[in-house]
Amino acid sequence: MKYDIEKNFVNGKKVDSSSQKFLDVISPVDGTCLSKVCLSNTKDLDEAVQAASKTFLSWSKTPIKERVQVFYKYKTLLERDIDFLAELCTEENGKTLSESRAEVEKSIELTEFACSLPQLVAGEVLEVSRGVECKVEHVPLGVVASIVPFNFPNMVPNWTIPNAIALGNCMIFKPSEKVPLSAGRLALLLKEAGLPDGVLNIVNGDSEIVEAICKHPKIKAVSFVGSTKIAKIVYQKATHHYKRCLALGGAKNHLIVLPDAIPSMTAQNVAASMSGCSGQRCMAASAMVGVGNVDNIINKIVEEAKKIIPGKNLGAVINKASKERIEKYITEAEEQGAKILLDGRKAKVEGKENGTYVGPTVIDHVKPEMAVAREEIFGPVISIMRTNTVDEALEIENANPYGNAASVFTQNGGMARHIIERASAGMIGVNVGVPVPREPFSFGGWNESKFGVGDITGKSSIEFWTQLKKSTVKWNAEAGVNWMS
Ligand code: NAD
């Protein structure tokens, strides 16, 4: 094994789990076993929560301007270690090195936002009667938890860790058991940056530990990012135990392409959106609706997609089960009469025969009722449907239960606005294939792509990670001068 066993990180130290159960960490790049990760149990969680609870008083009482100093330092450490973090990310997740670097760069941007929190959480004070002041402050919740998926081993942890901690909370962090190595490294960087022991604690594991987090009486809030199936379970369990919960789920993002779209730019964007991170992005274009005659644009999409080569500028998908699932979707669509314009099944990379690769796949003449049109495939596949009108295209988009993102490609501003107003998704792009809002704007979908109020990043995250304390204070010495006294 290239790396030591990935242990838990509790009270500033790597510690063994008491379960003595482990899972192999397999690289999708070539199938080698990189490490093992421990699968924790309730006792391990209790210890982590105890460490976090003990530290909460001192951390929450540390002024926020002092707390964010840790993140200024952490940002420079991310910059220092970007090459190592990117390589590790590629090894455990399978994405290309440039995609991994982009993730770390995004993590740096997220950290910069956390450094701006003192400016954003300044409270309010008003003299509401003579000598009587009301003050409103954002105060931390206590011990909070963050549970994350496999597809962004650096970026998604940095959606929650910097903001929640800078705002004064102590955290229990649960990485994906498929990619636990990057999170372990981030914890060490935060320690090096000066984060006090016990503020961030990592408890590795699978569904058992997630369930324990949702039930733990001392955990006040749970954030979750992952598939819709599990988001629903986590949201139900955490709220059943009276916790604040924000659970982000899966996606089926639609691109609506109009005949006046600029062909080369549209084709490049569609191909990049469907295949970036091997299609394993909740912001990936997964369905395209061509309105009217867009054959020339579709031809160009195929040309662009052909330039995307597995093992070169296209990474692997996370594991064998994923590869099989994606290929099954393609086969079923073909059997149901869709036309495969570019087929990524049976992709092989020389020298990496045990890697799990799927090539870019373009499927045309897909019907809205087919599984490839409705379900999240999470692979480098685009399903193209055709309609005569924009409103028919919107009907298809609106009927999908997800609602993470949607984009329109056109040069007609009025039409773009029509679609922005009617698409049922939280993040909309115009001539942009992956409409991720950059900081300080917040990230979050609608419908079955998110359960709970608010978004997970940006200014919206302040509401999730804090509660409002309202104090009313009388400063005048005289008695009985106003109704409030
Ligand atoms: P997943 O739902 O399988 O796993 C996410 C987390 O839940 C992991 O930490 C995992 O250990 C845990 N988990 C898995 N099964 C569980 C169970 N039965 N009970 C409790 N916990 C369980 O997701 P994944 O495969 O790791 O990630 C891919 C999914 O994440 C895709 O659906 C993708 O769209 C979604 N995603 C969404 C966003 C977003 O912002 N909406 C961002 C990234 C990924």
Side-chain angles (χ1 to χ4, degrees), residues 76-185:
T76 66
L77 298 179
L78 290 172
E79 287 162 347
R80 183 194 71 188
D81 285 3
I82 187 164
D83 291 336
F84 174 80
L85 290 168
E87 276 164 33
L88 184 63
C89 179
T90 290
E91 282 182 305
E92 68 173 345
N93 170 281
K95 61 179 66 176
T96 65
L97 204 53
S98 61
E99 288 166 346
S100 294
R101 274 188 82 86
E103 255 204 66
V104 183
E105 280 161 8
K106 182 65 196 170
S107 304
I108 291 167
E109 186 173 274
L110 289 157
T111 305
E112 284 167 356
F113 175 77
C115 292
S116 75
L117 283 168
Q119 280 65 41
L120 297 173
V121 293
E124 294 169 344
V125 59
L126 180 72
E127 186 180 40
V128 290
S129 289
R130 282 168 202 277
V132 178
E133 280 175 2
C134 278
K135 183 166 94 167
V136 180
E137 297 164 274
H138 282 97
V139 302
L141 302 171
V143 179
V144 298
S146 172
I147 302 159
V148 296
F150 78 80
N151 63 330
F152 284 96
N154 286 280
M155 182 187 76
V156 173
N158 283 299
W159 276 0
T160 56
I161 295 172
N163 290 354
I165 286 180
L167 289 165
N169 298 289
C170 291
M171 182 177 266
I172 305 298
F173 185 81
K174 210 299 274 174
S176 163
E177 65 277 30
K178 293 171 189 149
V179 295
L181 308 179
S182 297
R185 183 71 201 176

Side-chain angles (χ1 to χ4, degrees), residues 77-378:
L77 298 179
L78 290 172
E79 287 162 347
R80 183 194 71 188
D81 285 3
I82 187 164
D83 291 336
F84 174 80
L85 290 168
E87 276 164 33
L88 184 63
C89 179
T90 290
E91 282 182 305
E92 68 173 345
N93 170 281
K95 61 179 66 176
T96 65
L97 204 53
S98 61
E99 288 166 346
S100 294
R101 274 188 82 86
E103 255 204 66
V104 183
E105 280 161 8
K106 182 65 196 170
S107 304
I108 291 167
E109 186 173 274
L110 289 157
T111 305
E112 284 167 356
F113 175 77
C115 292
S116 75
L117 283 168
Q119 280 65 41
L120 297 173
V121 293
E124 294 169 344
V125 59
L126 180 72
E127 186 180 40
V128 290
S129 289
R130 282 168 202 277
V132 178
E133 280 175 2
C134 278
K135 183 166 94 167
V136 180
E137 297 164 274
H138 282 97
V139 302
L141 302 171
V143 179
V144 298
S146 172
I147 302 159
V148 296
F150 78 80
N151 63 330
F152 284 96
N154 286 280
M155 182 187 76
V156 173
N158 283 299
W159 276 0
T160 56
I161 295 172
N163 290 354
I165 286 180
L167 289 165
N169 298 289
C170 291
M171 182 177 266
I172 305 298
F173 185 81
K174 210 299 274 174
S176 163
E177 65 277 30
K178 293 171 189 149
V179 295
L181 308 179
S182 297
R185 183 71 201 176
L186 296 179
L188 292 178
L189 290 186
L190 278 162
K191 185 176 167 83
E192 187 181 344
L195 190 70
D197 293 348
V199 177
L200 174 68
N201 303 278
I202 296 185
V203 181
N204 284 295
D206 54 15
S207 56
E208 183 184 340
I209 207 70
V210 172
E211 219 163 281
I213 286 172
C214 291
K215 282 187 197 156
H216 201 289
K218 286 204 171 142
I219 295 177
K220 302 280 186 196
V222 177
S223 79
F224 172 89
V225 181
S227 62
T228 289
K229 182 178 161 211
I230 311 301
K232 283 181 177 174
I233 295 173
V234 168
Y235 187 78
Q236 278 179 345
K237 289 198 170 150
T239 54
H240 179 76
H241 289 91
Y242 308 110
K243 296 181 199 317
R244 189 179 281 201
C245 185
L246 184 59
L248 273 64
K252 185 79 186 175
N253 305 316
H254 290 66
L255 303 184
I256 299 179
V257 176
L258 306 192
D260 73 338
I262 300 169
S264 52
M265 184 267 278
T266 304
Q268 279 165 13
N269 270 276
V270 174
S273 179
M274 65 173 263
S275 66
C277 299
S278 305
Q280 299 175 121
R281 285 190 288 193
C282 65
M283 294 297 280
S286 175
M288 176 182 138
V289 189
V291 180
N293 187 348
V294 292
D295 285 350
N296 62 329
I297 299 176
I298 292 173
N299 290 339
K300 277 198 180 297
I301 291 172
V302 175
E303 268 173 42
E304 285 298 326
K306 280 185 180 162
K307 297 179 194 163
I308 299 165
I309 315 289
K312 202 169 151 204
N313 54 352
L314 181 69
V317 298
I318 190 70
N319 55 25
K320 263 197 189 130
S322 266
K323 178 174 157 69
E324 283 166 15
R325 190 197 64 242
I326 298 162
E327 292 181 345
K328 188 161 169 251
Y329 270 114
I330 303 168
T331 304
E332 273 177 16
E334 190 176 37
E335 285 166 3
Q336 289 163 3
K339 198 167 166 207
I340 315 290
L341 301 183
L342 184 65
D343 191 349
R345 287 172 290 184
K346 315 230 168 359
K348 282 261 177 307
V349 175
E350 218 185 293
K352 302 203 164 106
E353 282 71 19
N354 291 325
T356 43
Y357 295 89
V358 179
T361 301
V362 181
I363 314 178
D364 198 3
H365 299 291
V366 167
K367 298 281 172 244
E369 59 279 8
M370 293 179 184
V372 283
R374 290 181 291 108
E375 296 172 15
E376 181 174 47
I377 302 172
F378 227 50

